[in-house]
Amino acid sequence: MLFKQQALLRQKLFLLGSLAIGSLLYLVARVGSLDRLQPLCPIDGRFGPRGQDEIPLRALQFKRGLLHEFRKGNATKEQVRLHNLVQQLPKAIIIGVRKGGTRALLEMLNLHPAVVKASQEIHFFDNDENYAKGIEWYRKKMPFSYPHQITIEKSPAYFITEEVPERIYKMNSSIKLLIIVREPTTRAISDYTQVLEGKERKNKTYYKFEKLAIDPNTCEVNTKYKAVRTSIYTKHLERWLKYFPIEQFHIVDGDRLITEPLPELQLVEKFLNLPPRISQYNLYFNATRGFYCLRFNIVFNKCLAGSKGRIHPEVDTSVINKLRKFFHPFNQKFYQITGRTFNWP
């Protein structure tokens, strides 16, 4: 009996020893694999020497959680101080154009861990009442961020408002400016469609696009119609160039951003001097919506509002052709100034 008990004890000790040795070997192998994976750290080595221009690793951990709470106003001053968070003036602004894809561009850039977006259009520089409140009021409208992150806001009315270039220049003469454009006639019709939808929601009647875009007295393009004026991109850009060199602008192809967003986003990353972080993993096509949605991680996805991608009303072909002919010389000049050519008719 004693012999059997001793044999069972030795067997148990042997099994325990084997498990201990196996666990130790696994840990050694695991540490080795982690060492090999270390160079793939998504932050390491991308922002200069460690401790100088590097974004803290915790920035990624808090970006979707903690910063969201701060944006909702749920943070205490102590929490803000503890996490070294600040409200920074934007280092880049999406200044236009309306119905060019400004919201889509802002949301897609927000995929980058070094970018923090202002969720709402601030309308600081184009609104006299807001502008009179001063630069600190504007700063307080910005989201909380880490010092090495870039804050970006978008207000498409900036592009066409005469006072805005000088006002932004006075704030920051070296700021980076993003302009997203679409084929001018398509953009004008999209502009009209948004206004039309608003009228219909209020049970109001509205003129057809053709009657607004074409002057009935001359049968020529009505340049007093705002949707038409906004699409004359070169006229507005020339006003901005009185204050900023062309190198401080980046032109985004809004039509391509819809069909093939990644190459456009990679160009913006380069313009903003950001390390490449946005990949095809972050963008997936939603067949129901008909455009790309955003994937931040394995649990958090986001599609743009259902109002995006409105169906345009049918427009008389002769009016479309007249508009395209009208915009053509302005488009050619826009290509020449910006150095970017589009296949617009």
Side-chain angles (χ1 to χ4, degrees):
M1 186 69 177
L2 181 61
F3 177 77
K4 287 183 177 180
Q5 289 177 342
Q6 290 175 339
L8 286 171
L9 181 60
R10 283 195 298 270
Q11 188 176 10
K12 288 180 179 179
L13 289 172
F14 176 78
L15 288 171
L16 288 171
S18 299
L19 286 171
I21 293 171
S23 298
L24 181 62
L25 290 173
Y26 171 79
L27 288 172
V28 170
R30 181 64 177 161
V31 170
S33 67
L34 288 175
D35 286 341
R36 290 192 298 274
L37 288 173
Q38 191 64 32
L40 296 179
C41 171
I43 294 301
D44 228 18
R46 295 290 188 172
F47 285 80
R50 185 181 295 275
Q52 294 180 13
D53 295 323
E54 183 183 85
I55 294 178
L57 185 59
R58 64 180 182 275
L60 300 181
Q61 298 169 341
F62 286 108
K63 184 171 174 58
R64 302 301 165 200
L66 185 61
L67 292 182
H68 179 65
E69 292 300 311
F70 291 162
R71 281 196 292 271
K72 293 193 300 183
N74 296 339
T76 65
K77 289 183 179 180
E78 179 61 21
Q79 285 176 313
V80 172
R81 185 195 64 78
L82 180 64
H83 295 291
N84 195 32
L85 293 169
V86 291
Q87 287 174 291
Q88 304 183 80
L89 290 172
K91 296 177 182 175
I93 301 179
I94 301 172
I95 59 173
V97 300
R98 173 181 164 89
K99 306 312 300 173
T102 57
R103 173 57 60 182
L105 177 60
L106 183 68
E107 296 293 342
M108 288 178 177
L109 288 178
N110 194 49
L111 288 164
H112 199 292
V115 170
V116 179
K117 69 178 176 69
S119 297
Q120 302 298 320
E121 293 181 8
I122 310 300
H123 289 286
F124 176 64
F125 297 103
D126 66 305
N127 183 296
D128 292 341
E129 185 177 339
N130 287 342
Y131 189 69
K133 295 175 183 177
I135 203 72
E136 282 307 306
W137 178 88
Y138 182 53
R139 187 196 301 272
K140 293 284 176 58
K141 292 292 182 180
M142 295 299 122
F144 285 98
S145 62
Y146 293 99
H148 294 93
Q149 290 176 311
I150 293 177
T151 297
I152 297 180
E153 77 124 321
K154 75 102 175 174
S155 293
Y158 289 168
F159 186 58
I160 63 170
T161 306
E162 290 188 11
E163 298 83 2
V164 171
E166 182 179 6
R167 289 174 175 179
I168 292 181
Y169 180 84
K170 287 179 178 178
M171 179 192 73
N172 182 0
S173 61
S174 61
I175 197 165
K176 292 180 180 290
L177 302 165
L178 293 162
I179 305 172
I180 180 168
V181 294
R182 296 183 67 193
E183 191 276 313
T185 301
T186 302
R187 194 222 63 82
I189 296 172
S190 181
D191 197 329
Y192 166 83
T193 304
Q194 178 170 297
V195 176
L196 175 65
E197 185 181 272
K199 297 287 186 181
E200 290 176 342
R201 280 200 303 266
K202 298 176 182 177
N203 294 318
K204 293 182 178 181
T205 57
Y206 196 50
Y207 293 110
K208 292 187 68 175
F209 176 79
E210 292 88 339
K211 191 168 184 179
L212 294 168
I214 303 299
D215 187 326
N217 297 318
T218 64
C219 292
E220 297 299 327
V221 172
N222 180 15
T223 55
K224 294 181 180 180
Y225 179 38
K226 187 176 179 179
V228 169
R229 289 203 317 273
T230 300
S231 285
I232 308 175
Y233 304 138
T234 186
K235 290 289 186 181
H236 305 293
L237 182 59
E238 285 173 343
R239 184 170 58 250
W240 284 84
L241 290 173
K242 294 176 182 177
Y243 295 90
F244 300 96
I246 193 62
E247 292 77 21
Q248 282 177 233
F249 296 86
H250 178 72
I251 310 301
V252 179
D253 186 340
D255 295 309
R256 192 183 184 203
L257 192 73
I258 296 171
T259 60
E260 197 180 2
L262 185 58
E264 287 299 313
L265 295 172
Q266 290 172 335
L267 289 173
V268 177
E269 283 180 323
K270 185 176 180 181
F271 172 70
L272 296 177
N273 296 320
L274 294 171
R277 285 291 177 273
I278 303 173
S279 69
Q280 198 61 58
Y281 167 81
N282 301 117
L283 302 159
Y284 66 96
F285 187 76
N286 185 311
T288 304
R289 294 290 189 97
F291 49 80
Y292 282 84
C293 294
L294 317 179
R295 182 186 289 115
F296 291 87
N297 51 48
I298 59 174
V299 296
F300 182 47
N301 298 342
K302 180 177 183 178
C303 285
L304 298 177
S307 61
K308 303 300 178 184
R310 295 180 181 89
I311 297 175
H312 294 179
E314 288 189 18
V315 177
D316 188 282
T317 304
S318 65
V319 172
I320 291 177
N321 291 335
K322 186 180 286 286
L323 284 167
R324 287 176 172 173
K325 184 178 180 180
F326 168 79
F327 286 127
H328 182 74
F330 296 111
N331 295 342
Q332 295 300 311
K333 192 169 184 180
F334 186 71
Y335 302 160
Q336 184 181 6
I337 293 173
T338 63
R340 183 153 196 190
T341 303
F342 302 97
N343 295 319
W344 296 339

